Amino acid sequence: MGFKEEIFHETGPKHLTAMDWKNTDHQRSVVASLVQGVYSLERDRQRRNLGRYREDNVEPWWTSFNFHLDEPLIDHDKCIFGAIYKYNGQYASADSDVPEYVIAFRGTLLTPETRREDMKSNFKCFLNKLEESSRFKLALNYVERFVEAKGARNVWLAGHSLGSAIALLVGKKMIYKMEWFPKAYLFNPPVLYFPIELLEDEKVKKRIRSVHRMVKAGLIFVAPELSKTRMEDHFALLSSWTPHLFVNPADIFCAEYIAYFERKVGAGETMTLAENNSMRNLVSHVVFGTDLKDATHLLPSAYLIVNESHLNKKAAESSSCSDFLGAHTISQWWRPDVRCQSTLYQYR
């Protein structure tokens, strides 16, 4: 994303002149803008370090919606990877449509200062070991200290790409530790599956899925310690948490979330366990003893919000969501012409 694209008045949701917090489109646009604010904070920090000072175009990403920056979240390498925003207006309660605080995490920035730590975290995420990364440990520590100091009030989590994986895992850990169920907005969250959903031939997709199911079911049978009861207990604990997952079908990193939730409906017990885990996760468990409940993508319930702009050719061309780069951008989620379909998948 170039400098011009980071300027709120050039590319931001400036069409939101009157904010309605009960409007889900408005909520999505504002929270996505707060995540973009984290990207802009880090890029602005780098420009200042290089002596390339420009007129400040960072603050409108949050001040335009009546937020202020409470605290930037800084990594060991002095890079900003997250931010805590506080809402300046009124909020009613923990069940309110208006957040008191939003804790947001950015995704990967391929700049000289951020590339190393960001790619290390991406690699950990790919291996289903994100919780071992220094970035995640810092994020969890920030959130734990914040919730302990402020109380588990109306705090939302948000992130994009790698940042959404961090926010998702932080949310799960906080449920285990404190039974704290935060509202979460996760844009383009990575899922550790081969992107079969992107294949056009339905027969080929069906055959590949059938083979995967049989192989994964076999792996489950040779791992008796992976009890159905254990996974059911894990799912039951998380079942009432319904994070919002924002997915573009053309994005290879998150498209499989669509099939992940659709396959769960009406699946048999053994096949449900197989479907809920990628083959890489199951092999990792059988060979290395990895605990599957810590898989970042493993969710029993969620609001799945799919960007369906690609179904309208004209809209897809105008929003640039038909190609991979456009499909993975944070900016697609605040465009006034984006068309989303929301479905609640509730584990029972």
Side-chain angles (χ1 to χ4, degrees):
M1 182 176 278
F3 178 73
K4 182 178 179 180
E5 294 171 307
E6 291 183 32
I7 302 175
F8 179 86
H9 299 294
E10 293 282 348
T11 60
K14 50 187 179 293
H15 61 282
L16 288 182
T17 55
M19 179 62 193
D20 177 7
W21 279 102
K22 292 187 179 298
N23 185 312
T24 56
D25 290 335
H26 289 196
Q27 289 183 19
R28 182 191 68 243
S29 298
V30 171
V31 178
S33 296
L34 296 180
V35 176
Q36 173 57 43
V38 184
Y39 283 104
S40 297
L41 276 168
E42 172 54 28
R43 286 192 179 276
D44 187 63
R45 184 195 69 82
Q46 294 181 25
R47 283 191 292 267
R48 290 174 184 272
N49 286 347
L50 294 173
R52 299 173 182 172
Y53 177 77
R54 298 173 183 257
E55 182 180 355
D56 189 7
N57 288 286
V58 177
E59 291 186 0
W61 289 104
W62 55 87
T63 57
S64 298
F65 307 111
N66 207 17
F67 283 87
H68 76 256
L69 178 63
D70 192 70
E71 180 183 4
L73 307 185
I74 301 173
D75 203 344
H76 298 302
D77 57 3
K78 309 302 180 183
C79 294
I80 298 171
F81 71 97
I84 299 175
Y85 301 101
K86 188 178 190 307
Y87 185 60
N88 293 325
Q90 293 184 344
Y91 50 89
S93 66
D95 297 324
S96 172
D97 294 315
V98 185
E100 180 182 1
Y101 291 93
V102 175
I103 304 177
F105 302 96
R106 66 166 174 83
T108 305
L109 269 178
L110 296 178
T111 63
E113 294 190 47
T114 59
R115 183 184 299 115
R116 180 179 178 183
E117 287 301 317
D118 284 11
M119 293 310 296
K120 282 171 62 176
S121 295
N122 277 311
F123 187 65
K124 291 284 189 182
C125 184
F126 178 78
L127 295 178
N128 193 30
K129 293 184 178 181
L130 183 59
E131 65 175 331
E132 298 178 5
S133 70
S134 61
R135 179 70 54 80
F136 167 75
K137 291 176 181 178
L138 276 172
L140 182 60
N141 184 258
Y142 269 116
V143 174
E144 276 190 287
R145 287 192 292 108
F146 181 83
V147 173
E148 287 175 355
K150 303 289 186 177
R153 292 178 289 186
N154 199 359
V155 181
W156 295 8
L157 295 179
H160 173 243
S161 191
L162 172 63
S164 67
I166 291 174
L168 177 57
L169 194 53
V170 165
K172 292 172 70 172
K173 293 294 184 182
M174 292 298 289
I175 292 172
Y176 301 148
K177 290 186 175 186
M178 302 175 63
E179 294 188 1
W180 178 60
F181 294 80
K183 195 167 185 176
Y185 280 69
L186 311 172
F187 302 96
N188 302 85
V191 57
L192 303 180
Y193 284 106
F194 178 79
I196 302 173
E197 191 67 21
L198 271 63
L199 299 176
E200 295 184 0
D201 192 316
E202 292 297 327
K203 291 184 178 180
V204 173
K205 287 165 63 173
K206 186 176 180 180
R207 289 170 184 167
I208 293 176
R209 293 195 193 285
S210 296
V211 172
H212 277 200
R213 282 197 298 268
M214 288 188 290
V215 173
K216 289 191 291 184
L219 287 171
I220 289 172
F221 281 122
V222 300
E225 71 280 4
L226 181 59
S227 69
K228 170 177 165 290
T229 301
R230 183 182 181 187
M231 293 302 293
E232 284 185 343
D233 290 344
H234 167 64
F235 265 35
L237 179 62
L238 294 176
S239 62
S240 60
W241 188 43
T242 52
H244 295 67
L245 309 184
F246 296 87
V247 174
N248 189 310
D251 182 358
I252 62 173
F253 292 126
C254 65
E256 276 299 297
Y257 261 120
I258 299 172
Y260 167 82
F261 282 105
E262 288 179 348
R263 287 196 302 267
K264 287 173 62 178
V265 179
E269 293 177 354
T270 302
M271 300 312 292
T272 297
L273 188 57
E275 293 291 4
N276 284 334
N277 286 281
S278 68
M279 194 176 299
R280 179 165 56 251
N281 286 349
L282 292 172
V283 171
S284 178
H285 171 77
V286 173
V287 178
F288 302 109
T290 305
D291 195 340
L292 293 180
K293 75 178 180 63
D294 292 325
T296 307
H297 75 278
L298 198 59
L299 281 171
S301 306
Y303 282 99
L304 186 68
I305 300 93
V306 179
N307 183 345
E308 295 189 339
S309 299
H310 68 292
L311 298 177
N312 182 314
K313 186 175 181 181
K314 184 177 180 180
E317 290 173 352
S318 65
S319 63
S320 300
C321 288
S322 56
D323 56 53
F324 164 68
L325 292 179
H328 194 66
T329 57
I330 185 69
S331 60
Q332 67 182 292
W333 300 109
W334 64 65
R335 291 183 61 91
D337 58 352
V338 68
R339 297 294 178 266
C340 296
Q341 176 63 46
S342 178
T343 305
L344 172 62
Y345 290 94
Q346 187 72 58
Y347 178 78
R348 302 186 187 283

